[in-house]
Amino acid sequence: MSEKLAAPCRPRLAGVQAIAASLAGLLIWMSAALLASHAPLQQQERPQVVIGVVLDGPWSENESIRAEFENAILQLLQSRWDVRLPEEKYLVGDWTGSSIQNALNRQLDDPEVDIVLASGVIASTLVATRSDLPKPVVAPWIVAADLLGVPSQVLETQQRGVTVREFVSGVHNLSYISISTDIAQELRAYLEIVPFEKISFVVNRVILTALPELRQNLHQAALDMELDYEIIEVEDSLVDALQGRVDQIEAAYLAPLLQLSAQENRRGIDYLIEHQIPTFSLWGRSAVEKGIMAALALDTDIGKLARRVALNIQRILLGEDPGKLPVGFKRRQRLTINMATAKAVGVFPSFALLTEAELIQDVRTQTARKLTLLSAVEEAVSANLDLAVSDRLVAAGRQEVRQARALYYPAVDAASLTTFIDDDRADASPTVGQAGINNSLTLTQILYSDSVRANVRINEEVQRGRVEEREQLRLDIVQEAATAYLNVLIAETVEEIRRKNLELTRANLELARVRQQLGHSGIADVLRWASQIANDRRDVIESSALRNQSEIQLNRLLNRPLEEPFVTRETALDNVELLTSQPRFFSYINNQEAFRHFRRFLVDEGLAASPELRRLDASIAAQQRALLAARRSFWSPDVTFQASLADVENSGSGASLFPFPQPGNIDWTLAFNVTLPLFEGGARTAEKLRTLEELEQLRTQRASTAQKIEQRIRSAAHQAGFSYAAIKLAEEAYLAANRNFELVQDSYRQGVVSIIDLLDAQNADLTADLARANAVYSFLIDWVEVERAVGEFDFLAPAAARQDFLNRVDEYFRQKGVRLRGR
């Protein structure tokens, strides 16, 4: 290290000498301050630190990664050191081992460079295998350290009285960061997707040349998995490396091939897909997005890695030996499958894998059919079969009303009677012909009939009841569709939470393996986490099944094919205004007094808008008219006018069988008919009393229904008020449980707590996360119930109607003398 870094890295004085030096320094500083009290202050000079960077070669991501690393380093160190990363100290290789080694040598030999940052996978690997490092080196890109033969040691330190074991490089001046990768675990995941007996490792030739031990380690990894294997070396073209051998490849496992251009990488992936070769990536999720079939690891968090590099440089500048800095860097895992690629190569993952993995280009998530709450409800109202049945019932009822009103209008009947008699009877009577025709035309008009008038009115009221019954069904369908949609959101959220919990369990399994390597625990912890993974996978499968059931229910309500895929829009847990677009609603339920008056207002609104009550009102009106008709039947006659024309023709023996009518044979009749039943054996009295009892029954039923509606509104409002308040509490409980889990997990990593403590903390975190999701959606479902009980859905109403409702609430509160805080 250069002289300018010597001061901050010197060891502290000890004992009396340190105390004396400190007192002397204090006296000198005070004296200087007094002497220079009126002189301008001079800024303390910061030690200068120059960092030299080595990159593997040109790459599209170089600039973005460079910016992340520079920002993290400068933000952390600039206040104490004059950190510089000069442009001329950025050395870029050409993806060959010799060029990268030359760049490393130049930086290590450069007297102006204080710290070397090997910011490339190959550069990190090459420098990490060197033992003669004249200055500190940070190598942040060690992938699969166990395969690369990178040195490591276990270092024990005391932290707050606890012995902590950590992996370090053990090499003077070497600080590397090992991005955790378990090849055996990845191969097991690969085998779960597609069975194979031979694995083809596709690796950068530069690394294989620079690290001969890598071949042996890959051989051992395949041997441990009882697999045959081959190593395919890639230099400038993946397609060229695969030429002539694709027929022998069962499954390809690709290491990072960063030396390839984006176009060449795309060409290689297409070539593998064209030849139906399954592929698995060591790099992570981004490779799957580009067409690789699957990967277990998620992409490395560059921001987190950059902060770790900055912290390591800070510790080096403060005097710590780079060889004693922890090397572990946890990379999160989640199986990711590109479903389009899997289908193209003829691979169909099992249901267990599909429920656990993140699916890229999945048919279900790539579908063009997207549903929101509003679109789902509107589609249900327009397409639901139960509503279609009700529509037909209402349409048929309209014709019944027309049929009843038809009695108001004249009725015209035409009749024709033709008779034939034998010759003997015709000869016996000179007035009777052998053939006779009787034609008539009759007009009938009811002039007055209370029963007809009553029938029309009763049918009109019955029809009004049908319309209200249809409205009641519409509101029920809206509630059912909205609730079904929210249940889909709940199921999706629960499934996602359980997937994340499975990821945590996998991460804890990796921690258990590290603890076993460090001697913190034995194989029992590893086996316990493996068992927990099986249980968590079962929970994910169950959650997926519940989601499928929820989607089927919603599709039925929308009259869609029951398993037709769709994508939901509202998925955020913090979207509590999903239904109530007016935040003013919440001011009515956030305190006891306002909530009491708001419930009373909702009851008034609900009773006025209830289709159930309006349907009963129609039935009561019909029954009242029937009762009036029964009473009038004792004295009110039916009056009918009738007019008829008749033509009678008789033919004698030998006459034409079809004579034409003659004008002199036409008869006409006018008649008025008045009918009043005098005695029917008590039937009319019984009818009147029965109708009266049915009327009282309907009135009592209406009172009971109104009471039930009020109970429903008040109960639903109380439930919604509770579930709304529970949202914040559930969020606080989750934050506390999540923080506790992180602390316990960190303690477990350091060997301080047992697996039981971590399991309890993880279960508490999972329970709190599920409760948080359920709290939000429970409130939304409860609020749908409130709106159904009231008979008005806010999210379906136009803006003017919503504003009118809010104005009525405010006016109600004003009349009651209640002031809302914050309004």
Side-chain angles (χ1 to χ4, degrees):
M1 186 174 295
S2 61
E3 283 299 318
K4 53 192 169 188
L5 291 182
C9 295
R10 289 173 183 166
R12 298 178 182 176
L13 296 177
V16 178
Q17 290 180 333
I19 297 174
S22 299
L23 290 175
L26 179 61
L27 291 173
I28 293 172
W29 178 83
M30 293 177 62
S31 301
L34 290 173
L35 293 174
S37 58
H38 299 290
L41 294 176
Q42 296 182 353
Q43 184 177 6
Q44 183 178 1
E45 183 179 356
R46 295 172 298 163
Q48 185 183 105
V49 178
V50 176
I51 299 177
V53 181
V54 176
L55 301 176
D56 293 340
W59 186 35
S60 59
E61 302 297 325
N62 277 346
E63 288 304 316
S64 61
I65 294 177
R66 172 180 176 176
E68 288 275 6
F69 277 54
E70 285 191 3
N71 289 337
I73 292 170
L74 294 177
Q75 287 179 7
L76 181 64
L77 307 178
Q78 197 67 21
S79 62
R80 184 165 181 177
W81 292 276
D82 180 14
V83 179
R84 301 184 181 183
L85 294 93
E87 187 67 33
E88 64 273 14
K89 303 304 180 183
Y90 270 88
L91 303 183
V92 183
D94 60 6
W95 296 109
T96 62
S98 59
S99 68
I100 298 170
Q101 286 283 21
N102 289 336
L104 289 171
N105 291 335
R106 286 177 56 188
Q107 299 286 27
L108 292 171
D109 295 338
D110 190 339
E112 295 181 354
V113 174
D114 301 304
I115 296 177
V116 177
L117 176 59
S119 187
V121 174
I122 302 175
S124 292
T125 305
L126 292 177
V127 80
T129 56
R130 298 175 61 160
S131 57
D132 55 336
L133 298 175
K135 63 182 64 173
V137 174
V138 178
W141 290 102
I142 299 297
V143 181
D146 55 332
L147 294 181
L148 300 176
V150 176
S152 67
Q153 294 181 2
V154 176
L155 178 67
E156 291 188 359
T157 58
Q158 294 293 321
Q159 297 181 10
R160 298 180 181 178
V162 177
T163 301
V164 176
R165 298 184 181 92
E166 295 177 309
F167 284 109
V168 298
S169 73
V171 176
H172 178 62
N173 276 339
L174 174 61
S175 169
Y176 68 82
I177 297 176
S178 176
I179 300 174
S180 60
T181 302
D182 187 333
I183 299 298
Q185 183 185 8
E186 298 216 337
L187 289 175
R188 284 192 292 268
Y190 198 177
L191 284 166
E192 281 195 74
I193 303 174
V194 55
F196 54 85
E197 296 181 356
K198 178 182 178 182
I199 184 69
S200 298
F201 295 107
V202 182
V203 188
N204 189 317
R205 177 174 293 171
V206 174
I207 295 182
L208 287 170
T209 303
L211 301 171
E213 61 271 23
L214 177 58
R215 293 180 182 274
Q216 179 59 36
N217 290 333
L218 290 174
H219 167 79
Q220 188 61 45
L223 184 65
D224 292 342
M225 297 296 298
E226 299 181 350
L227 294 171
D228 191 8
Y229 80 100
E230 66 173 340
I231 298 177
I232 299 176
E233 302 179 21
V234 180
E235 193 166 2
D236 298 323
S237 171
L238 178 56
V239 174
D240 291 347
L242 297 173
Q243 289 283 1
R245 58 200 316 170
V246 289
D247 294 338
Q248 288 77 42
I249 299 177
E250 287 187 50
Y253 183 79
L254 281 73
L257 302 175
L258 305 182
Q259 78 277 17
L260 302 183
S261 65
Q263 293 80 3
E264 183 59 37
N265 188 58
R266 180 70 259 176
R267 193 166 75 96
I269 293 174
D270 291 342
Y271 187 79
L272 288 163
I273 294 174
E274 178 185 350
H275 289 81
Q276 294 191 312
I277 298 175
T279 51
F280 198 94
S281 174
L282 173 66
W283 186 251
R285 186 183 188 278
S286 61
V288 180
E289 292 176 341
K290 294 175 182 176
I292 297 297
M293 187 186 73
L296 181 59
L298 295 177
D299 291 340
T300 303
D301 186 338
I302 301 300
K304 184 178 179 181
L305 182 63
R307 291 189 293 273
R308 175 70 173 276
V309 168
L311 286 171
N312 281 9
I313 293 176
Q314 181 188 52
R315 295 175 68 173
I316 293 171
L317 294 176
L318 290 174
E320 292 191 53
D321 182 359
K324 296 182 179 180
L325 298 181
V327 300
F329 184 84
K330 187 62 184 174
R331 183 165 60 155
R332 294 192 303 121
Q333 292 182 332
R334 181 171 183 179
L335 183 63
T336 308
I337 302 175
N338 188 313
M339 294 301 293
T341 300
K343 182 179 180 181
V345 301
V347 173
F348 302 96
S350 67
F351 286 115
L353 283 177
L354 291 180
T355 55
E356 176 184 353
E358 180 182 359
L359 306 181
I360 305 296
Q361 298 190 36
D362 181 23
V363 174
R364 193 180 72 85
T365 57
Q366 295 293 317
T367 179
R369 183 187 171 206
K370 293 178 172 56
L371 288 179
T372 64
L373 175 72
L374 183 59
S375 67
V377 169
E378 289 177 342
E379 187 175 341
V381 171
S382 64
N384 183 264
L385 291 180
D386 293 334
L387 272 177
V389 171
S390 184
D391 287 338
R392 301 284 71 80
L393 182 63
V394 171
R398 285 196 295 268
Q399 303 312 311
E400 288 190 26
V401 174
R402 286 187 61 191
Q403 189 175 358
R405 288 175 178 167
L407 296 176
Y408 280 140
Y409 301 98
V412 180
D413 297 321
S416 179
L417 176 64
T418 303
T419 60
F420 298 93
I421 62 176
D422 58 46
D423 293 339
D424 296 337
R425 292 185 60 195
D427 293 340
S429 175
T431 59
V432 178
Q434 184 179 8
I437 297 177
N438 188 352
N439 297 316
S440 64
L441 186 67
T442 304
L443 180 145
T444 304
Q445 173 66 58
I446 296 176
L447 299 179
Y448 176 82
S449 175
D450 189 69
S451 62
V452 172
R453 296 173 61 189
N455 186 50
V456 172
R457 178 65 184 280
I458 290 171
N459 273 279
E460 289 175 343
E461 295 298 340
V462 170
Q463 177 64 6
R464 185 161 67 93
R466 292 191 188 100
V467 172
E468 296 300 336
E469 187 173 10
R470 194 268 181 196
E471 175 62 15
Q472 177 183 341
L473 178 61
R474 186 189 72 85
L475 294 176
D476 290 340
I477 293 298
V478 169
Q479 180 188 16
E480 195 173 353
T483 302
Y485 184 87
L486 292 171
N487 281 333
V488 171
L489 296 186
I490 290 175
E492 289 176 343
T493 304
V494 169
E495 182 180 4
E496 183 62 24
I497 289 173
R498 291 200 176 277
R499 286 178 187 273
K500 291 180 180 178
N501 182 66
L502 177 58
E503 292 177 29
L504 289 177
T505 303
R506 289 195 182 279
N508 290 334
L509 173 61
E510 294 308 306
L511 281 179
R513 288 172 175 159
V514 173
R515 281 166 51 95
Q516 182 187 11
Q517 294 173 356
L518 293 172
H520 286 311
S521 60
I523 190 63
D525 278 18
V526 175
L527 297 177
R528 179 64 183 86
W529 285 117
S531 173
Q532 186 63 37
I533 284 178
N535 292 332
D536 291 346
R537 292 184 69 179
R538 180 200 61 199
D539 291 342
V540 172
I541 294 172
E542 181 183 17
S543 300
S544 178
L546 292 175
R547 174 182 53 76
N548 289 329
Q549 294 171 27
S550 301
E551 291 173 347
I552 289 173
Q553 181 188 13
L554 182 57
N555 275 330
R556 180 190 65 80
L557 290 169
L558 305 187
N559 192 24
R560 290 274 194 165
L562 295 185
E563 296 202 34
E564 181 180 356
F566 60 85
V567 177
T568 57
R569 289 285 180 86
E570 299 92 348
T571 55
L573 287 178
D574 57 352
N575 189 10
V576 296
E577 295 176 10
L578 184 64
L579 301 179
T580 51
S581 58
Q582 298 287 347
R584 287 167 59 182
F585 272 121
F586 300 123
S587 65
Y588 305 137
I589 64 177
N590 62 6
N591 70 79
Q592 186 175 5
E593 183 64 14
F595 192 26
R596 181 174 67 85
H597 287 284
F598 186 52
R599 292 196 303 272
R600 178 68 260 177
F601 172 80
L602 291 177
V603 168
D604 294 344
E605 288 279 314
L607 293 178
S610 170
E612 293 92 341
L613 293 183
R614 290 199 299 264
R615 180 170 61 84
L616 286 171
D617 288 339
S619 297
I620 290 171
Q623 200 68 16
Q624 286 174 332
R625 188 61 184 87
L627 178 61
L628 180 60
R631 287 171 175 169
R632 287 178 175 177
S633 68
F634 288 95
W635 55 265
S636 177
D638 292 342
V639 181
T640 307
F641 168 76
Q642 190 175 66
S644 63
L645 294 174
D647 171 69
V648 179
E649 279 289 341
N650 292 320
S651 62
S653 178
S656 172
L657 292 177
F658 302 100
F660 291 96
Q662 301 296 321
N665 294 331
I666 296 177
D667 297 329
W668 60 271
T669 305
L670 298 177
F672 288 89
N673 186 21
V674 179
T675 303
L676 178 64
L678 298 178
F679 181 72
E680 294 180 344
R684 283 178 291 174
T685 301
E687 175 72 12
K688 182 187 70 172
L689 295 177
R690 181 186 63 80
T691 305
L692 181 62
E693 289 300 329
E694 289 178 350
L695 177 61
E696 291 304 316
Q697 173 196 350
L698 288 171
R699 286 172 175 166
T700 306
Q701 184 179 351
R702 188 191 189 282
S704 174
T705 301
Q707 190 178 64
K708 291 175 181 177
I709 290 173
E710 180 174 356
Q711 176 192 359
R712 181 180 183 181
I713 293 173
R714 291 184 179 276
S715 298
H718 276 293
Q719 181 63 31
F722 158 74
S723 57
Y724 175 67
I727 293 175
K728 183 177 180 181
L729 300 177
E731 181 68 22
E732 292 175 354
Y734 167 72
L735 292 175
N738 185 253
R739 178 58 179 158
N740 175 67
F741 169 71
E742 291 175 350
L743 293 173
V744 175
Q745 187 183 46
D746 187 60
S747 297
Y748 180 76
R749 181 183 293 109
Q750 298 177 7
V752 178
V753 300
S754 69
I755 186 175
I756 300 301
D757 298 317
L758 184 55
L759 275 171
D760 288 343
Q762 183 174 338
N763 288 333
D765 180 62
L766 172 63
T767 302
D769 201 6
L770 292 172
R772 176 182 63 155
N774 286 331
V776 174
Y777 290 123
S778 293
F779 164 70
L780 296 176
I781 290 174
D782 291 342
W783 192 255
V784 170
E785 168 63 16
V786 171
E787 293 189 325
R788 170 59 190 93
V790 174
E792 299 176 5
F793 288 99
D794 170 72
F795 62 94
L796 286 180
R802 290 199 299 268
Q803 186 60 45
D804 181 64
F805 178 84
L806 293 171
N807 292 339
R808 293 200 305 274
V809 179
D810 291 340
E811 177 61 21
Y812 182 87
F813 274 66
R814 187 187 64 79
Q815 292 178 359
K816 297 296 182 181
V818 178
R819 296 187 60 185
L820 298 174
R821 294 185 178 274
R823 292 284 303 279

